């Protein structure tokens, strides 16, 4: 499991990382950050499975990160704090666990095991969906009701807060009231690839990959989509197989 740590106190970060190394060898600490903006940068660049999030961050809050990163598929979330009055708020944000400082090693191990169990369930669900083959149609829940889309007509999807915008060949769009992560699981067997945190693309709709300006895709209907650094190599391999 890849983990990101966020706490404004360096000694606390070092202590938590040391305990993870000692008691939870299955966890790889990708980064230990001291600010919300630094953590958001890592979340946009890396595939993080587990986020340890302090509540009080020297004028900021761990909840600020959750607000700023709306639309991002969040990893399993474990709050760490010296105070217990934020527990209800943490639960509302679907926190996997809530650890009080100083963090007890046994509690830490239990929290990591919970995260591992959740990831295993998600992987099993993805494998089951993939085994059923690529869908030909999607039923999209919207604020107006339900839309039925032919998968072959979908050019790309874009994350918009807790919604997903579908862009179609006929240059219309549909706003779905579900997150991108759910559709990525369904559409990957149909030849879709997540090329950026906010963008899922139908590989058949790619006209050109441009390496300038950080790298972006030109799609057949004329739109452009950025490609994140960590997705470039995967994308190139997919394009070679087309």
């Amino acid at each position: 499991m890849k983990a990101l740590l966020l706490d404004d106190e360096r000694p606390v970060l070092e202590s938590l990382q040391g305990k993870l190394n000692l008691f939870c060898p299955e966890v790889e600490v990708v980064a230990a950050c001291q600010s919300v903006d630094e953590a958001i940068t890592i979340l946009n660049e890396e595939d993080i499975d587990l986020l340890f999030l302090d509540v009080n961050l020297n004028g900021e809050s761990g909840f600020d990160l959750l607000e700023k990163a709306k639309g991002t598929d969040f990893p399993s979330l474990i709050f760490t704090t010296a105070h217990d009055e934020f527990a209800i708020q943490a639960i509302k944000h679907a926190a996997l666990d809530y650890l009080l400082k100083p963090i007890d090693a046994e509690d830490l191990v239990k929290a990591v095991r919970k995260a591992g169990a959740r990831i295993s369930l998600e992987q099993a669900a993805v494998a089951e969906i993939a085994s059923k083959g690529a869908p030909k149609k999607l039923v999209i829940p919207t604020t107006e009701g339900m839309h039925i889309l032919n998968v072959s007509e979908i050019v790309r999807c874009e994350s918009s807060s807790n919604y997903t915008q579908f862009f179609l060949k006929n240059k219309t769009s549909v706003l779905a009231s579900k997150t991108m992560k759910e559709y990525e699981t369904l559409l990957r067997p149909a030849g879709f690839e997540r090329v950026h945190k906010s963008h899922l693309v139908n590989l058949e709709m790619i006209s050109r990959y441009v390496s300038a300006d950080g790298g972006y895709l030109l799609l057949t209907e004329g739109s452009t989509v950025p490609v994140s650094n960590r997705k470039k190599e995967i994308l190139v391999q997919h394009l070679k197989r087309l």
Side-chain angles (χ1 to χ4, degrees):
M1 282 182 286
K2 291 186 176 182
L4 170 63
L5 318 183
L6 175 58
D7 197 296
D8 61 336
E9 298 182 50
R10 177 55 57 183
V12 173
L13 286 173
E14 291 173 352
S15 174
L16 176 54
Q17 186 164 357
K19 287 178 181 177
L20 287 169
N21 291 340
L22 183 60
F23 299 107
C24 307
E26 68 273 33
V27 175
E28 174 194 351
V29 177
V30 173
C33 303
Q34 291 184 264
S35 73
V36 167
D37 288 342
E38 185 184 359
I40 289 175
T41 298
I42 299 298
L43 284 171
N44 286 332
E45 293 177 350
E46 300 285 346
D47 288 319
I48 301 297
D49 302 305
L50 187 55
L51 173 61
F52 288 88
L53 183 61
D54 187 19
V55 175
N56 293 313
L57 293 163
N58 192 25
E60 294 182 296
S61 162
F63 299 111
D64 292 336
L65 181 145
L66 302 181
E67 287 299 316
K68 287 185 178 181
K70 272 186 175 179
T72 299
D73 292 333
F74 257 86
S76 293
L77 183 62
I78 296 176
F79 278 94
T80 61
T81 180
H83 311 282
D84 60 5
E85 66 265 28
F86 298 104
I88 299 299
Q89 196 172 353
I91 291 170
K92 288 181 179 179
H93 283 87
L96 184 69
D97 215 328
Y98 188 91
L99 302 178
L100 289 174
K101 299 176 185 176
I103 295 172
D104 178 76
E106 186 176 346
D107 291 339
L108 178 62
V109 170
K110 288 179 180 177
V112 169
R113 285 177 180 168
K114 282 185 190 177
R118 175 182 288 183
I119 291 169
S120 294
L121 285 173
E122 290 176 350
Q123 289 174 341
V126 169
E128 183 179 356
I129 290 171
S131 69
K132 295 178 180 178
K136 293 184 178 180
K137 293 181 181 290
L138 281 185
V139 178
I140 307 297
T142 71
T143 55
E144 301 168 345
M146 295 286 187
H147 283 255
I148 299 175
L149 301 181
N150 291 319
V151 170
S152 61
E153 295 297 312
I154 301 170
V155 176
R156 63 185 179 92
C157 307
E158 184 173 344
S159 176
S160 176
S161 188
N162 292 321
Y163 297 84
T164 302
Q165 190 95 23
F166 284 80
F167 294 87
L168 309 178
K169 278 183 180 179
N170 62 7
K171 297 191 177 182
T172 62
S173 66
V174 176
L175 184 64
S177 53
K178 285 187 178 182
T179 64
M180 177 97 80
K181 188 172 184 178
E182 296 179 66
Y183 293 115
E184 180 183 8
T185 301
L186 290 170
L187 291 172
R188 180 162 280 176
F192 285 70
E193 183 62 35
R194 189 80 169 262
V195 298
H196 185 277
K197 276 286 185 182
S198 301
H199 298 279
L200 181 68
V201 171
N202 184 342
L203 296 177
E204 294 291 337
M205 301 295 175
I206 296 174
S207 174
R208 187 155 55 103
Y209 169 67
V210 181
S211 58
D213 299 323
Y216 64 91
L217 295 173
L218 179 63
L219 304 183
T220 53
E221 36 66 275
S223 64
T224 60
V225 172
V227 179
S228 66
N229 288 331
R230 63 187 177 83
K231 292 291 187 178
K232 287 178 183 176
E233 185 176 344
I234 297 172
L235 176 64
V236 169
Q237 294 303 317
H238 277 300
L239 294 179
K240 286 180 178 178
R241 292 196 292 267
L242 291 179

